[in-house]
């Protein structure tokens, strides 16, 4: 059973920083993509940043230069360093694990962590 547990959310003023962590437990293929998504009230969930097994990263345009995704394979943990936060970054942030094994794709989600940025 794969489980993802996020931590690190909270309330911060605009311009501040937060670091989110997502610890993954259970067995899963090394052929995977790890990502952070977010969902603001009344909006659809959107992909914020992703990192593959080769440490290649991708970001949504609005967070480029402010957010950094990283992974620690030894700890099965990914991080999202968020700087210069804006009120528009307010959302529930979810980590996601996307794996392919034996030709079968599976996705796993954490429970989410709230990030609130005050103006």
């Amino acid at each position: 059973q794969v489980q993802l547990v996020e931590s690190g959310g909270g309330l911060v003023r605009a311009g501040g920083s937060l670091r989110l962590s997502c610890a993954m437990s259970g067995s899963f293929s090394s052929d995977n993509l790890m990502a952070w998504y977010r969902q603001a009230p009344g909006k659809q969930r959107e992909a914020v940043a992703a990192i593959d097994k080769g440490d290649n990263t991708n970001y949504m345009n609005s967070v480029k230069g402010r957010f950094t995704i990283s992974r620690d394979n030894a700890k099965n943990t990914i991080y999202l360093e968020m700087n210069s936060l804006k009120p528009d970054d307010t959302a529930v942030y979810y980590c996601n694990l996307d794996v392919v094994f034996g030709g079968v794709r599976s996705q796993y989600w954490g429970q989410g962590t709230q990030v609130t940025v005050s103006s």
Side-chain angles (χ1 to χ4, degrees), residues 89-106:
D89 295 318
T90 295
V92 178
Y93 283 70
Y94 299 89
C95 65
N96 170 270
L97 173 65
D98 190 330
V99 299
V100 178
F101 182 74
V104 177
R105 182 187 182 194
S106 300

Side-chain angles (χ1 to χ4, degrees), residues 2-56:
V2 176
Q3 291 187 322
L4 283 61
V5 179
E6 301 101 334
S7 61
L11 173 64
V12 65
R13 289 190 175 185
S17 299
L18 282 174
R19 188 192 195 208
L20 305 183
S21 300
C22 175
M24 304 180 184
S25 61
S27 298
F28 50 88
S29 170
S30 60
D31 185 7
N32 61 62
L33 181 71
M34 298 178 177
W36 288 97
Y37 285 71
R38 70 185 183 187
Q39 187 166 19
K43 296 187 177 180
Q44 289 191 333
R45 190 172 297 190
E46 57 185 1
V48 176
I51 184 167
D52 67 14
K53 60 182 180 179
D55 285 341
N56 299 300

Side-chain angles (χ1 to χ4, degrees), residues 18-20 36 48-51 57-59 63-71 78-83:
L18 282 174
R19 188 192 195 208
L20 305 183
W36 288 97
V48 176
I51 184 167
T57 58
N58 197 21
Y59 298 91
V63 307
K64 285 181 180 178
R66 299 189 298 122
F67 290 11
T68 302
I69 187 172
S70 60
R71 59 192 284 170
I78 61 168
Y79 306 95
L80 186 67
E81 186 75 35
M82 305 185 293
N83 298 313

